[in-house]
Structure formats: C-alpha cells, structure tokens
Amino acid sequence: MTAPEAGRGIGNGESDAEVTTTFGFPRDSFRILHVSTGNVCRSPITERLTRHFVHQRLGVLGGGLIVESAGTWGHEGAPMEAHAETVLGEYGADASGFTGRELLDEHVIRADLVLTATRDHRAQVISMGHSAGLRTFTLKEFTRLVDAIDPATLPPLEDGLVMRARALVRAAAALRGWLLAPTAEADEVHDPYGAPLSFFRSIGDEIHQALDPVVTALTGVPART
C-alpha cells in the first residue's frame, strides 16, 4: 500500500553547527521519545531496544537519531527495574547508565516522534499541546501504520536517516484516520511493574515484535537472521 502524504517532522552528539528550529532545538536530528508511566519498565526497555536494533542494522547509532524516554508519573532519577535490565541483557542491549525521568513539556517539544505504551499515555502527551497530535502514537499503533507503508515511497537512507524518519512519521499520520486497530487492546503494552520475570519477558517480546518493523522502516535495513 502506498501511503498518502501528510505533515511535520542517544547516541548521539549534537554539534553547535546544527540548524535550529523556532524552539531553539536542532533540526538536523530526529528525536524519538518513548513514554510509559514510571519510566522504569516499559519505556526504558523500548528506548534501549530501539538503540540496540538500530545499531545492529547500521553498525552505529547516529546519523542524527536520538532515542530517549520519560514517564507520565516518572520516577525522577530512579534506576531501571531489575527485571527490565535482565530482559534487555537477554537481547544483548545495554541497560547501563539509565535513570528515570518525569515527562516535561520540553521533552514533547523536542520530540519528532513520541511512541507511548498505551492509549492513555498517548492522550496525556497530546493534552500537553505543542502540536503533538500528528507525531504521537502508541508503539503498536505506529507499527500497524508502518506495516501499511510502501518502503519505496520513503527517501533512501543515502538521503539521510533524518529525512527518511520524518517522511515515515508524515506517512503514518496520514494513514491513521482510516487504518484503525481491530480492538482497543491491540494498541496497548501492559505494565509489568511488580510482576515476575516471566511477565517482563513476555512484555519484552511484545516490544521487540512491535519495534522490529519500525526500525526496519527507519533504517531501510531488515533485521539480521
């Protein structure tokens, strides 16, 4: 399916030479913000797996891509949950150096793509304003939309990861109104906080399955088999 057109657009150093937006933030970067509740379970897993999967495909996390996370009731400065660290380690992803953050207006303003764990998180981000509606999706919602986009309609990676990522978000936003979830639950990633490791592993698998086509679409490189 060819997507119709629509509107906008840590690794990861940012140089002083970067062109800035009207908010004063770099334009030649693309910032993905993962959002959950406490920012100690789901969004840290999603953040670090995104970085890991991009690195696997491209051999580097860069090209202007910045990946971070925050929580709507974020445990500011808290470490990642131990089971979340274990799950990341089982995927070979780096869990080191993580600290939780409370979601702030600045995070939403800076983000080019916001991916949330649930529809409630999506609603909370959008309610903050900052024209966030066209760039905020649940993770599973974004995956469903990305699956419907013809990769041939996206700029090639040679044109830059930032340009390709912005085009992907525009295409997904254009599809959202007519490509709906089969059920409300289909767009949810449930909270494993306080659950046993087995449930964290099942959530990690859900996140992995949802992220794989997204990272493939971002990079133009399929996962290694």
Side-chain angles (χ1 to χ4, degrees):
M1 178 184 294
T2 300
E5 294 290 327
R8 172 187 154 133
I10 292 180
N12 337 51
E14 298 171 2
S15 72
D16 293 336
E18 290 173 321
V19 179
T20 58
T21 67
T22 54
F23 292 114
F25 300 129
R27 290 196 62 190
D28 57 347
S29 62
F30 186 88
R31 189 180 297 262
I32 301 174
L33 174 66
H34 294 291
V35 175
S36 62
T37 303
N39 193 215
V40 291
C41 299
R42 288 168 291 181
S43 51
I45 291 174
T46 315
E47 173 197 322
R48 294 304 177 94
L49 282 183
T50 302
R51 296 186 187 187
H52 180 62
F53 294 153
V54 171
H55 190 276
Q56 281 185 323
R57 287 162 169 79
L58 300 181
V60 64
L61 179 56
L65 183 66
I66 301 164
V67 185
E68 55 190 1
S69 63
T72 55
W73 290 85
H75 301 297
E76 189 72 32
M80 191 185 309
E81 281 289 298
H83 287 339
E85 286 195 28
T86 298
V87 168
L88 286 170
E90 291 173 349
Y91 281 103
D94 182 11
S96 65
F98 181 87
T99 54
R101 302 192 305 175
E102 182 178 356
L103 181 67
L104 303 176
D105 289 84
E106 176 184 336
H107 302 145
V108 177
I109 292 169
R110 290 167 67 103
D112 296 286
L113 172 62
V114 184
L115 296 176
T116 70
T118 70
R119 291 168 297 144
D120 282 347
H121 296 133
R122 181 185 64 194
Q124 289 179 65
V125 172
I126 293 172
S127 73
M128 295 172 73
H130 315 302
S131 304
L134 286 177
R135 50 197 168 91
T136 303
F137 310 79
T138 74
L139 171 62
K140 288 186 174 180
E141 174 192 21
F142 194 66
T143 302
R144 184 176 69 255
L145 299 172
V146 164
D147 280 340
I149 296 169
D150 182 354
T153 65
L154 300 173
L157 190 59
E158 290 76 13
D159 289 351
L161 186 59
V162 170
M163 182 179 293
R164 184 180 177 92
R166 288 178 179 159
L168 184 67
V169 174
R170 289 195 300 269
L175 283 170
R176 178 156 50 186
W178 58 277
L179 190 62
L180 303 178
T183 66
E185 284 294 301
D187 283 344
E188 304 284 290
V189 176
H190 294 293
D191 193 354
Y193 186 78
L197 178 57
S198 59
F199 189 66
F200 270 81
R201 284 179 172 139
S202 70
I203 293 300
D205 184 62
E206 280 187 47
I207 292 171
H208 168 256
Q209 295 300 321
L211 276 178
D212 185 72
V214 171
V215 176
T216 295
L218 278 172
T219 63
V221 180
R224 298 173 184 173
T225 57

